[in-house]
Amino acid sequence: MSNLDILNSKNQSFFLPIGGIGEIGGNNYLYSFKGEQIIVDAGISFADDSLPGVDITIPDPYIFLNPSIKPKAMILTHAHEDHVGGLEYYFDKIDFPIYCNQFTYAYIKHKFKRIPDFEKKFHIIKSYQEISFKNFSFQLIPTTHSIPDPTGIFFKTNDGNIYHTGDWKIDKNPVTGDPFDYDNFKILKEENIDLLIGDSTNAGVKEISRSESELDPSFDRLFEDLNGRIIVTCFSSNIARLKTVISNALKHKKKIFVVGRSIKRAITTAIEEKLIDNFEILNEKLFADYNRDNVVLICTGSQGEKNSALSKIANNTHNHIKLSPKDNIIFSSKEIPGNEKAISYLKNSFSYLGLNIISDEDDFVHVSGHPGIQEIKEFYQYVKPISLIPMHGEYLHLKKHLEIAHDLNIEKSLLLLSGDLCELDLKDKNHKLIDQFVIKKLPVIQNSIIEDMNFLSERGKILNNGIVSLNIILNKKLDILKSELHTKGFPFDFDKEFIQEQIKESLLNKILFMKDEMNERSLHDQLEDIAKKTFSKNFSLKPELLIHLSIV
Ligand SMILES: [Zn+2]
């Protein structure tokens, strides 16, 4: 990673998206201001089908956790998992302070409770509190989104200023936190914004995002009208949505069940922070005991995550939660690109159970937490950025964002993707792409980052070709005493004796040729090669081979 040394240059400033540009999620950005680096956000993203059996990934944090650079700090913009969810997996390796506001800290602190003195790494700061380093300073700017206290970051340097929007929308009547207020952004208007790095998620959406509070009458009506149990699935970190759902459930005197660790924790934190009224979460073991018309169950898993409780409920394999035909499920979330197939599978499973499925195509049950075209234009006309780099979004969204910039005559804009190293030119705004890194998405399995990705190619091979185990015992004269062949997940039923005979014959031929150069290791390798060729010749398949050869 030595080519990262350029980030230590005392004359240049850089922006390196480690994750979060050209994709939805996995937000993790590096800024370097004349040799001083700072990391923004530490998110996770959903894994796609290319990673069998993996639900989440994180952009490779060893880009900044390596000896060639020494970040001064990390800043967390808000508490959504795609901005903070990766931190717990490399928290122990971080030796710099982490800055965030009070709510973000309150929301994520439970993740680190087992680590002694974890709180010392966190520096809780207030909006507009200026944190200064040698070459730059930053302040958190309050905005609105779908979680309490989201922030953008205002960077000041000697060469110019940057506004990093974080996730945002214009919500003049949010259900948690303060309304969107242009006064909050006066500071950006008064100082030049030489570069704005902005949220592109909905840059192609013509409709304005609508306020979270507009969902309230919808849930009120649905909870009034629907017969049968009501399951609501949304993201666990969408505190605003949880509040809307819970307050309406309480209003209609529903019994509330919450399934899933992350969502229970989110609700507990929201209650502690006095964002949601305290209420009784019922034990899921009692789910079947309550009158169906009186039950609301809140659950994550809306993206079709295979290991989620919702998937188990849909497949009727959950230990306690069994649904009945004519129960209802509300998908109060949008489909993250890439998850369409998994979500469709989930919906089909619920349909098979006879459930009434309500998603945002059927009823008004979701508002986005991101700004559409009109909001972006309105905001940019207010803060007047001179140049723009789109972030948060797939390529299409980034392009749409550039179109908006073009409409607003923000001409000096640059399209980057994760891994692109951009040299910032805050004076003349001629930012340029100077290098490209391939940044891996590391799978997270059972709370650990898996750095060696070989297991994934093995999994892929097993998925397509199965496993063959071959056990051969020879005596010292190299006569074959015993051979065994077993398969798992191999698609064909075949005559094992016949295949073993082919392998044994080839092995004995090899032994005749190899004579003196033979030892257990070389014979093992020969046997592996022979088995590979035998399966390829007979079945055109390359199963994962487990070879055991011993000489007794
Ligand atoms: Zn967010």
Side-chain angles (χ1 to χ4, degrees), residues 78 80 82-83 145-147 167 370:
H78 66 292
H80 276 158
D82 57 336
H83 292 258
H145 180 40
S146 51
I147 193 164
D167 285 356
H370 302 272

Side-chain angles (χ1 to χ4, degrees), residues 320-353:
H320 308 296
I321 312 292
K322 306 280 179 205
L323 300 177
S324 319
K326 304 220 164 51
D327 284 344
N328 309 276
I329 176 153
I330 301 174
F331 282 82
S332 185
S333 56
K334 74 161 187 176
E335 292 188 355
I336 305 266
N339 296 341
E340 295 86 350
K341 238 161 107 182
I343 296 169
S344 165
Y345 180 81
L346 188 66
K347 287 183 175 168
N348 274 297
S349 304
F350 279 119
S351 178
Y352 183 75
L353 290 179

Side-chain angles (χ1 to χ4, degrees), residues 215-233 241-257 292-298 328-332 356 358 363-365:
L215 286 176
D216 202 60
S218 258
F219 278 94
D220 188 13
R221 172 176 47 77
L222 287 166
F223 287 2
E224 175 72 37
D225 293 350
L226 292 174
N227 295 318
R229 300 182 183 99
I230 302 171
I231 320 302
V232 182
T233 178
R241 191 65 41 80
L242 291 171
K243 181 173 177 165
T244 305
V245 172
I246 290 165
S247 61
N248 278 291
L250 291 172
K251 181 176 168 189
H252 291 274
K253 307 219 168 358
K254 302 280 189 190
K255 301 294 176 193
I256 303 176
F257 292 85
R292 285 179 53 226
D293 291 339
N294 230 356
V295 164
V296 167
L297 181 144
I298 307 169
N328 309 276
I329 176 153
I330 301 174
F331 282 82
S332 185
N356 172 33
I358 301 167
D363 208 323
F364 182 46
V365 290

